[in-house]
C-alpha cells in the first residue's frame, strides 16, 4: 500500500508497493499488445507458401535493400532467421503481401527457411515506407531532427503513415475514430465525400438544406466556394458545375467537369471547399437500392483534407453491383471486407494468443505459502533486471533478438544463480 509517513523533520515518501500479481498482469498486458501488433504471424515458418497473405507483420531490410535499390518486404519469420543482425524497418502490417525474402531483389541472400521462391511477387505494392520514410514530408520515424511531438496515423487506403499535422485536418482530440483516409486517397476515392457527410468523425462536411442558396459556412474557413450542380448525374457520369457562389457573388465558370468515379481535381486552390448538390429528380431506374445514389441526392462539402472514420463505418458502404464495379475500378474492393481492417488483424493476434492459454506462473504462485512467494518475487526481480539490461544492448545496436540470444541469456543466468547458491553458507542451531 502506498502512502507517506510523518516523523522527525518532515514527510517521508514511501515507494509504492507492487505485488507480483500486479507485475504479472502488467506483463500480460504488454504481451497482449505485442501479439496484437504481430497479428498472429508465424515466427518460425516463412509465409511465402501461403501466397499473398491478407494481413501479416512485415519488415524491410535496409542492409539488403537500401534506398536506391528495389523495395522489398519480408515476413516475421524471415526477419528473425535470415535478417537477424541486419537493420530493419518495421512496417507494421500491409494487405495482400507475399514475402520477398531471398528473391531476385536480394542479390546476395538466399532465404534460409524457403529457398525455392519466384523471382518477383508482382501482386505486392510498395511505397517509401520500405526505405524507412513516411508521410508527405518523406521523413524517418522517429525523426531525430523533428522536435514537434506528433503521432503517426496510417491511411487505410494507401497504408502510408502520416503526421497528424500533415493531414489538412487535425485528428479528433478524443481519438474517437477507428480509421483515417488521407488527402490524396480522398481525391482518388471522391465518392467517400458523400459518406463523410453522414459518417466522418468529426463531421468534416455539413449538409445544406434544399432551401439554402447561400454560401455554406464551414467553421474555421474564411475563403469558401459553393458549387451547385443543377443537372442530375449518377455516380458513373460526369457532373457539370454550372454556377459558383463565392462570398455572395455569382461567378460563372464554363466547361467545369468532375468525374466522380475517377480521382478528382479541385475547381480552385487546394484549400477551396466544394459543395456538390444532386437533383432530387434523378433517373434512378438503374440504381434502385443504391445507398451512394441516395446520399448523392443531398448536398455535401468536399475539402482538401483527410477524413476520420468511426468503428464499422465500412459496413455502411453500398454493395450494389454498380458500386462494387466502381470499387474494383478504383482498386479499393478491400473497403468492403470486414477482415481487412487493422482492428480485425490485431484481434486475430490476441485471439490466437489466448486460445487454450493458461499461465503456469500464476498457478504456481497460488500454490505457494508466503515465504515461497517472497523468494519467487526476489528471483523474478533479479531476472527482470538482468533481462532488461541484456535486451537494452540489442535496442542500442538496432539488431533483432534471436532465439539463440534468449537461450544464451538463460544459460548464463542459471550459471550465475548456481554460483550464488554454491557460495551460500548454512547454519544449524
Amino acid at each position: 500500500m502506498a502512502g507517506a509517513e510523518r516523523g522527525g523533520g518532515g514527510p517521508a515518501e514511501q515507494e509504492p508497493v507492487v505485488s507480483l500479481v500486479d507485475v504479472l498482469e502488467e506483463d500480460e498486458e504488454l504481451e497482449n499488445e505485442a501479439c496484437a501488433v504481430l497479428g498472429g504471424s508465424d515466427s518460425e515458418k516463412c509465409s511465402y507458401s501461403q501466397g499473398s497473405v491478407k494481413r501479416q507483420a512485415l519488415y524491410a531490410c535496409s542492409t539488403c535493400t537500401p534506398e536506391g535499390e528495389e523495395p522489398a518486404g519480408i515476413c516475421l519469420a524471415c526477419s528473425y532467421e535470415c535478417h537477424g543482425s541486419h537493420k530493419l524497418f518495421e512496417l507494421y502490417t500491409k494487405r495482400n503481401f507475399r514475402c520477398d525474402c531471398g528473391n531476385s531483389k536480394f542479390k546476395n541472400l538466399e532465404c534460409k527457411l524457403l529457398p525455392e521462391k519466384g523471382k518477383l511477387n508482382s501482386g505486392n505494392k510498395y511505397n517509401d515506407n520500405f526505405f524507412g520514410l513516411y508521410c508527405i514530408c518523406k521523413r524517418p520515424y522517429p525523426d531525430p531532427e523533428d522536435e514537434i511531438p506528433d503521432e503517426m496515423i496510417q491511411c487505410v487506403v494507401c497504408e502510408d503513415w502520416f503526421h497528424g499535422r500533415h493531414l489538412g485536418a487535425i485528428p479528433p482530440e478524443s481519438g474517437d475514430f477507428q480509421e483515417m483516409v488521407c488527402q490524396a486517397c480522398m481525391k482518388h476515392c471522391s465518392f467517400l465525400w458523400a459518406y463523410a457527410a453522414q459518417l466522418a468523425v468529426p463531421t468534416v462536411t455539413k449538409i445544406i438544406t434544399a432551401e439554402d442558396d447561400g454560401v455554406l459556412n464551414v467553421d474555421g474557413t474564411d475563403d469558401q466556394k459553393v458549387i451547385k450542380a443543377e443537372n442530375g448525374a449518377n455516380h458513373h457520369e460526369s457532373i457539370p458545375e454550372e454556377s459558383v457562389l463565392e462570398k455572395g457573388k455569382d461567378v460563372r465558370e464554363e466547361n467545369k467537369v468532375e468525374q466522380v468515379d475517377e480521382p478528382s481535381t479541385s475547381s480552385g486552390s487546394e484549400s477551396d471547399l466544394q459543395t456538390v448538390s444532386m437533383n432530387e429528380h434523378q433517373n434512378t431506374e438503374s440504381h434502385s437500392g443504391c445507398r451512394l445514389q441516395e446520399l448523392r441526392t443531398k448536398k455535401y462539402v468536399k475539402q482538401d483534407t483527410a477524413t476520420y472514420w468511426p468503428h464499422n463505418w465500412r459496413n455502411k458502404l453500398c454493395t450494389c453491383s454498380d458500386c462494387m464495379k466502381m470499387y474494383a475500378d478504383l482498386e479499393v474492393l478491400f473497403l468492403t471486407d470486414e477482415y481487412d481492417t487493422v482492428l480485425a488483424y490485431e484481434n486475430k493476434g490476441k485471439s490466437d494468443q489466448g486460445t487454450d492459454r493458461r499461465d503456469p506462473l500464476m498457478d504456481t504462485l497460488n500454490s505457494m505459502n508466503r515465504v515461497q512467494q517472497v523468494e519467487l518475487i526476489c528471483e523474478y526481480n533479479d531476472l527482470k533486471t538482468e533481462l532488461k539490461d541484456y535486451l537494452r544492448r540489442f535496442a542500442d545496436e538496432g539488431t533483432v533478438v534471436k532465439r539463440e540470444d534468449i537461450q544464451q541469456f538463460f544459460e548464463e543466468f542459471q550459471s550465475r544463480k548456481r554460483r550464488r547458491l554454491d557460495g551460500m553458507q548454512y547454519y544449524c542451531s
Side-chain angles (χ1 to χ4, degrees):
M1 181 172 60
E5 293 180 343
R6 291 189 176 273
E13 293 186 359
Q14 285 186 332
E15 292 187 4
V17 177
V18 180
S19 70
L20 181 57
V21 173
D22 294 331
V23 174
L24 292 176
E25 289 178 348
E26 180 182 353
D27 286 351
E28 182 177 1
E29 182 179 348
L30 293 174
E31 186 178 351
N32 286 336
E33 291 178 4
C35 289
V37 170
L38 298 179
S41 301
D42 197 322
S43 62
E44 298 182 353
K45 297 179 182 178
C46 176
S47 65
Y48 180 85
S49 59
Q50 302 176 40
S52 295
V53 180
K54 184 183 291 288
R55 280 203 176 276
Q56 63 176 314
L58 283 178
Y59 303 81
C61 182
S62 177
T63 304
C64 296
T65 55
E67 191 171 3
E69 300 287 338
E70 289 189 80
I74 59 176
C75 68
L76 177 64
C78 288
S79 74
Y80 292 150
E81 189 65 28
C82 308
H83 306 264
S85 60
H86 297 178
K87 181 180 179 181
L88 302 179
F89 298 123
E90 185 178 357
L91 303 177
Y92 190 29
T93 177
K94 304 285 186 184
R95 66 171 60 90
N96 301 326
F97 200 94
R98 195 173 195 182
C99 180
D100 285 322
C101 180
N103 68 13
S104 61
K105 295 187 175 186
F106 294 81
K107 298 177 180 178
N108 301 310
L109 182 137
E110 183 180 83
C111 180
K112 299 177 182 178
L113 297 176
L114 202 60
E116 299 297 327
K117 293 182 177 178
K119 291 185 177 181
L120 292 173
N121 295 314
S122 58
N124 288 354
K125 292 186 178 181
Y126 307 90
N127 59 18
D128 289 328
N129 295 176
F130 289 80
F131 298 118
L133 302 176
Y134 309 90
C135 192
I136 57 174
C137 59
K138 306 301 180 187
R139 296 294 302 169
Y141 183 83
D143 187 350
E145 298 179 8
D146 186 4
E147 298 180 355
I148 302 175
D150 197 356
E151 65 175 336
M152 300 287 284
I153 307 173
Q154 188 180 35
C155 173
V156 71
V157 178
C158 67
E159 298 192 294
D160 194 0
W161 291 81
F162 296 85
H163 295 100
R165 65 185 186 274
H166 292 161
L167 287 168
I170 299 174
E173 292 184 2
S174 63
D176 188 23
F177 66 95
Q178 190 64 48
E179 295 183 309
M180 180 274 291
V181 180
C182 72
Q183 292 164 279
C185 290
M186 284 302 297
K187 289 181 180 179
H188 177 68
C189 304
S190 58
F191 71 90
L192 286 176
W193 284 111
Y195 289 99
Q198 304 289 333
L199 303 174
V201 179
T203 304
V204 295
T205 63
K206 292 188 177 182
I207 303 299
I208 308 177
T209 61
E211 297 78 22
D212 187 1
D213 287 330
V215 178
L216 176 65
N217 180 24
V218 179
D219 295 340
T221 304
D222 295 325
D223 298 327
Q224 306 162 4
K225 286 186 179 180
V226 176
I227 302 172
K228 299 182 67 179
E230 297 180 359
N231 290 341
N234 61 43
H235 61 286
H236 300 293
E237 299 173 347
S238 59
I239 304 175
E241 301 165 343
E242 296 195 352
S243 67
V244 178
L245 298 176
E246 184 175 11
K247 296 185 178 179
K249 298 180 181 179
D250 188 6
V251 181
R252 306 298 298 180
E253 294 191 3
E254 298 180 355
N255 301 323
K256 189 166 283 296
V257 178
E258 183 178 88
Q259 189 72 27
V260 176
D261 61 348
E262 295 289 339
S264 62
T265 56
S266 174
S267 62
S269 66
E270 291 186 356
S271 61
D272 288 336
L273 303 180
Q274 301 181 19
T275 302
V276 181
S277 174
M278 308 302 292
N279 194 300
E280 292 282 352
H281 303 289
Q282 297 180 61
N283 178 15
T284 60
E285 182 177 346
S286 62
H287 299 281
S288 177
C290 176
R291 177 170 173 77
L292 178 58
Q293 189 70 10
E294 179 184 347
L295 291 174
R296 280 177 160 172
T297 63
K298 305 170 184 177
K299 298 181 181 180
Y300 54 94
V301 178
K302 300 173 73 173
Q303 305 180 58
D304 186 23
T305 67
T307 51
Y308 304 90
W309 303 83
H311 182 64
N312 286 335
W313 71 276
R314 299 195 195 193
N315 294 343
K316 297 177 175 61
L317 296 178
C318 181
T319 55
C320 73
S321 59
D322 287 333
C323 283
M324 293 299 286
K325 182 180 182 302
M326 178 183 65
Y327 302 150
D329 292 342
L330 293 172
E331 298 184 340
V332 293
L333 270 173
F334 54 81
L335 288 178
T336 63
D337 181 3
E338 61 179 319
Y339 296 105
D340 172 79
T341 65
V342 172
L343 179 62
Y345 166 80
E346 292 182 344
N347 288 339
K348 181 180 183 298
K350 295 177 182 178
S351 175
D352 290 351
Q353 181 225 16
T355 303
D356 297 328
R357 179 186 175 190
R358 288 183 61 85
D359 192 334
L361 186 54
M362 287 296 293
D363 291 342
T364 303
L365 184 65
N366 291 331
S367 66
M368 290 180 171
N369 61 37
R370 178 66 176 171
V371 175
Q372 292 172 324
Q373 288 179 351
V374 171
E375 291 177 349
L376 180 58
I377 290 174
C378 293
E379 289 289 339
Y380 179 85
N381 286 334
D382 289 343
L383 173 62
K384 184 176 181 180
T385 300
E386 293 190 30
L387 182 59
K388 184 177 180 180
D389 293 340
Y390 180 75
L391 295 177
R392 185 179 289 114
R393 301 205 320 260
F394 293 88
D396 293 341
E397 297 171 2
T399 56
V400 174
V401 183
K402 296 184 291 186
R403 183 187 308 160
E404 294 80 4
D405 299 320
I406 298 299
Q407 290 175 343
Q408 179 183 350
F409 167 80
F410 280 103
E411 288 173 0
E412 294 177 353
F413 181 79
Q414 289 292 344
S415 177
R416 289 192 294 273
K417 180 180 177 182
R418 282 194 295 270
R419 288 198 297 270
R420 288 197 301 269
L421 293 175
D422 292 342
M424 294 177 65
Q425 297 183 9
Y426 299 89
Y427 300 92
C428 296
S429 58

